[in-house]
Amino acid sequence: EVELDDEAAISIGSLTALTSLALPTSVSACNVIPLLTSLKSLRHIDLSRNDANVTDSTLVSVAEHVPLLESLDVSTTGGLVTDTGIIAISQRCTQLRKLLVSGTYGNVTDVGIIAVAQRCPELTSLNVGSTCGKVTDRGICAVARGCPKLERLDAYFAGANLSDTGITAIALGCPQLQHLDISNTSGGLSDVSVAAVARNCPKLRHFDLKFTRGDLSEVGLAEVGRRCPHLEHFAVTSPVSDVAVLAVVQNRPNLTYLDVGSPLSEVTDASLLAIALECPQLTYLCLCGAVGSDRGLTAIAQRCRQLEHLDVSVTYGTFSDASVIAIATKCHLLRSVNVSYTDGAVTDASLIALSRWCPSLRNLYVSGTAGAVTDRGVVAVMKGCPHLEYLDASQTNGSVTAAAIEAGMEWCPNLEAST
């Protein structure tokens, strides 16, 4: 992929064999269209970083001069791209395989997506996340009917207009689906659509259901575990117990991302021991609200040495220094640790261990640790983890002071802290 400024854009016409192009904001509007018209062999165009100059006219020109286009990214283009431009693309670029329209301020709606669904049957990847609720069940159902080769759908922050209707249609119409992100939706997703995905999309690898409002239960979630053997990424914030977690992690050696965190979690050591046994490649683990013990978390420390992110917040004493120190001494790749609201069971001893064994740490959350984390532990982390970027030490009963953090900036120049 080539990225250009204005000077390069003017002279690039000679590169007629170029197939991939990214245009940053530095390329002005007067050069975008002439540039695109001279590069007829383009297959992949990324306009996402050109939010000042990309408009529907740009896409009309792309459609006219780059008919063999396979991939187009117009995400976060400042709301200047609308259905008009997307319809133009659909009419000429019928070999389109990948389309990203996230963050288009609601100006790309069902109308544009339906046009793509009707004319671009080769589509394998679609991102309609953060479209202000303007891409609804209607548009998603059209995709299910017209794009049977779809492998990836991102519909995060879809609002209240994406429901069981749209997701069930995708499950039935797109059996090749491997990636589904419907996080932060409020359309009332339930076991109906989740179970439909599980039964009809056996190739599923990535399933993100975080912060979805609806009637999800362990029935649907366990179905995912039983029927999707290739899962690598699973995330849900609905209250779950061992039933769902055990179904998801069993025989999952390739699972790298697991988020089953919820303040109402009923996840116990049975799940933690299974995670340790079945998921040695895990890099991200959120156990927020879990009711396990040091025994379970220590087992994870022993077996999951690739961990980069650990969240055991809101566990109110369930986990203590014993297991957090075990994690620090075994999981040296840690980049983010959250021990907030552990009711004083996690102390400076854990932070000192992190400072000694985890030099790559970027984010640390110790809010609400009942005064058990003090300046001593925080300063140790700042000395031992020079790449630290964010520290949340609020609500520590005055045991972590602004003065200590300010002094620690000597070792962590990029640190943003909250006290």
Side-chain angles (χ1 to χ4, degrees):
E1 182 178 282
V2 174
E3 182 174 314
L4 306 172
D5 56 18
D6 254 352
E7 183 177 351
I10 293 170
S11 61
I12 201 172
S14 60
L15 299 179
T16 54
L18 197 66
T19 60
S20 297
L21 184 65
L23 293 178
T25 304
S26 56
V27 176
S28 58
C30 64
N31 286 320
V32 170
I33 293 177
L35 172 64
L36 293 172
T37 59
S38 65
L39 298 174
K40 297 184 183 299
S41 61
L42 281 177
R43 299 292 183 273
H44 312 282
I45 299 179
D46 181 357
L47 302 173
S48 62
R49 287 168 286 181
N50 203 306
D51 58 354
N53 299 311
V54 174
T55 66
D56 286 336
S57 296
T58 311
L59 297 194
V60 169
S61 182
V62 169
E64 181 179 355
H65 297 284
V66 193
L68 299 180
L69 188 70
E70 296 178 6
S71 173
L72 177 64
D73 186 350
V74 292
S75 56
T76 61
T77 43
L80 299 178
V81 169
T82 75
D83 286 332
T84 300
I86 299 302
I87 290 171
I89 291 291
S90 73
Q91 290 171 337
R92 294 290 192 94
C93 306
T94 56
Q95 297 302 306
L96 195 68
R97 288 172 166 78
K98 182 178 181 180
L99 177 63
L100 293 85
V101 297
S102 60
T104 44
Y105 291 79
N107 290 324
V108 175
T109 74
D110 283 339
V111 174
I113 298 305
I114 291 171
V116 170
Q118 292 173 340
R119 298 184 179 95
C120 303
E122 301 300 317
L123 197 72
T124 61
S125 180
L126 177 64
N127 188 329
V128 292
S130 300
T131 45
C132 300
K134 295 302 180 68
V135 176
T136 73
D137 281 338
R138 182 166 167 257
I140 296 301
C141 286
V143 171
R145 289 191 299 270
C147 306
K149 298 179 182 179
L150 195 72
E151 297 176 0
R152 175 168 182 156
L153 175 62
D154 290 282
Y156 47 83
F157 288 102
N161 295 318
L162 180 61
S163 70
D164 280 341
T165 300
I167 299 307
T168 300
I170 288 290
L172 296 174
C174 306
Q176 305 302 314
L177 197 69
Q178 297 180 27
H179 176 115
L180 180 59
D181 186 343
I182 46 177
S183 58
N184 294 279
T185 54
S186 54
L189 295 175
S190 75
D191 288 340
V192 172
S193 56
V194 171
V197 170
R199 291 167 186 156
N200 295 281
C201 305
K203 296 182 180 180
L204 197 68
R205 296 178 183 274
H206 180 120
F207 200 8
D208 198 325
L209 290 154
K210 285 189 294 188
F211 304 110
T212 55
R213 296 182 187 175
D215 190 23
L216 289 177
S217 78
E218 294 191 328
V219 174
L221 300 177
E223 193 83 351
V224 174
R226 284 191 292 268
R227 294 178 178 265
C228 301
H230 305 293
L231 272 182
E232 298 173 0
H233 177 123
F234 183 76
V236 62
T237 46
S238 300
V240 296
S241 73
D242 293 332
V243 173
V245 178
L246 290 172
V248 167
V249 304
Q250 188 172 16
N251 298 317
R252 293 295 187 282
N254 295 319
L255 192 71
T256 59
Y257 187 111
L258 180 63
D259 185 344
V260 288
S262 167
L264 300 177
S265 171
E266 297 178 4
V267 174
T268 74
D269 272 351
S271 290
L272 273 60
L273 293 171
I275 290 167
L277 181 64
E278 305 278 2
C279 309
Q281 302 301 316
L282 210 59
T283 61
Y284 185 108
L285 179 60
C286 178
L287 296 170
C288 172
V291 292
S293 72
D294 284 332
R295 176 173 172 253
L297 191 57
T298 299
I300 289 172
Q302 295 289 343
R303 296 269 301 178
C304 304
R305 304 292 184 89
Q306 306 302 312
L307 267 185
E308 297 179 10
H309 176 109
L310 176 67
D311 185 342
V312 290
S313 61
V314 199
T315 49
Y316 302 112
T318 290
F319 305 114
S320 73
D321 283 334
S323 55
V324 177
I325 291 172
I327 288 284
T329 56
K330 300 295 184 180
C331 306
H332 301 164
L333 301 178
L334 280 170
R335 296 169 64 90
S336 178
V337 175
N338 190 339
V339 293
S340 298
Y341 302 100
T342 45
D343 212 20
V346 176
T347 74
D348 285 341
S350 290
L351 271 63
I352 292 169
L354 289 169
S355 73
R356 290 175 178 168
W357 297 101
C358 304
S360 299
L361 197 67
R362 298 293 198 277
N363 302 290
L364 179 62
Y365 303 82
V366 294
S367 176
T369 44
V373 171
T374 72
D375 285 345
R376 178 170 171 258
V378 167
V379 169
V381 168
M382 288 190 287
K383 283 184 178 180
C385 307
H387 304 293
L388 197 67
E389 296 173 355
Y390 184 78
L391 171 64
D392 182 0
S394 59
Q395 301 182 50
T396 52
N397 295 349
S399 60
V400 178
T401 65
I405 291 176
E406 185 175 351
M409 298 292 283
E410 172 187 349
W411 303 290
C412 301
N414 298 318
L415 180 65
E416 176 187 345
S418 174
T419 59

